[in-house]
């Protein structure tokens, strides 16, 4: 493996585009980074549930919010808004939706999630 490896997120190795969703994925050695862009009106249960086939999101998420706001509602009753500048870790078992009129953009670093999220 090279001592330095870079890729531009504007030219991802993979792209996925379910409803109101754009996921760009780059592979760096054994690591994977995903850029999630979710449009206003996006809701996991409307846009990704048909692809995932589960009642709630079963992915673990580790990421950083670049812009916009998303509301997370976990099945254990916990809720939170994530906005620009927030780093986050989410356990499986949640729904989520974009808040407001600005797209939500986040970078995710959980390799398994970035590799498989919104992939049919």
């Amino acid at each position: 493996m090279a001592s330095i490896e870079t890729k531009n997120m504007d030219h991802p190795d993979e792209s996925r585009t379910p409803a109101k969703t754009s996921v760009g994925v780059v592979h760096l050695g054994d690591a994977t980074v995903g850029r999630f862009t979710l449009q206003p009106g996006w809701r996991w249960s409307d846009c990704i549930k048909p692809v995932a086939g589960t009642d709630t999101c079963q992915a673990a998420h580790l990421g950083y919010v670049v812009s916009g706001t998303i509301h997370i509602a976990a099945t254990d009753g916990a809720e939170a808004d994530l906005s620009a500048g927030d780093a986050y870790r989410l356990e499986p078992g949640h729904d989520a939706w974009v808040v407001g009129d600005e797209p939500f953009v986040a970078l995710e670093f959980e390799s398994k999630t970035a590799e498989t999220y919104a992939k049919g």
Side-chain angles (χ1 to χ4, degrees), residues 45-103:
S45 53
D46 295 335
C47 300
I48 305 302
K49 180 178 179 176
V51 177
T54 56
D55 286 335
T56 60
C57 180
Q58 294 301 302
H61 299 270
L62 176 67
Y64 173 80
V65 181
V66 176
S67 61
T69 302
I70 195 168
H71 184 82
I72 310 296
T75 55
D76 68 2
E79 295 194 30
D81 285 333
L82 305 175
S83 297
D86 290 340
Y88 59 89
R89 184 184 62 81
L90 307 173
E91 291 296 322
H94 53 271
D95 195 0
W97 53 90
V98 171
V99 176
D101 296 329
E102 181 182 358

Side-chain angles (χ1 to χ4, degrees), residues 9-82:
M9 294 301 297
D10 290 335
H11 304 285
D13 296 323
E14 299 176 48
S15 296
R16 302 181 200 124
T17 56
K20 299 180 183 176
T21 309
S22 174
V23 179
V25 177
V26 297
H27 302 284
L28 299 165
D30 60 0
T32 305
V33 178
R35 179 170 60 187
F36 291 56
T37 303
L38 313 175
Q39 296 302 318
W42 180 93
R43 185 177 184 119
W44 185 91
S45 53
D46 295 335
C47 300
I48 305 302
K49 180 178 179 176
V51 177
T54 56
D55 286 335
T56 60
C57 180
Q58 294 301 302
H61 299 270
L62 176 67
Y64 173 80
V65 181
V66 176
S67 61
T69 302
I70 195 168
H71 184 82
I72 310 296
T75 55
D76 68 2
E79 295 194 30
D81 285 333
L82 305 175

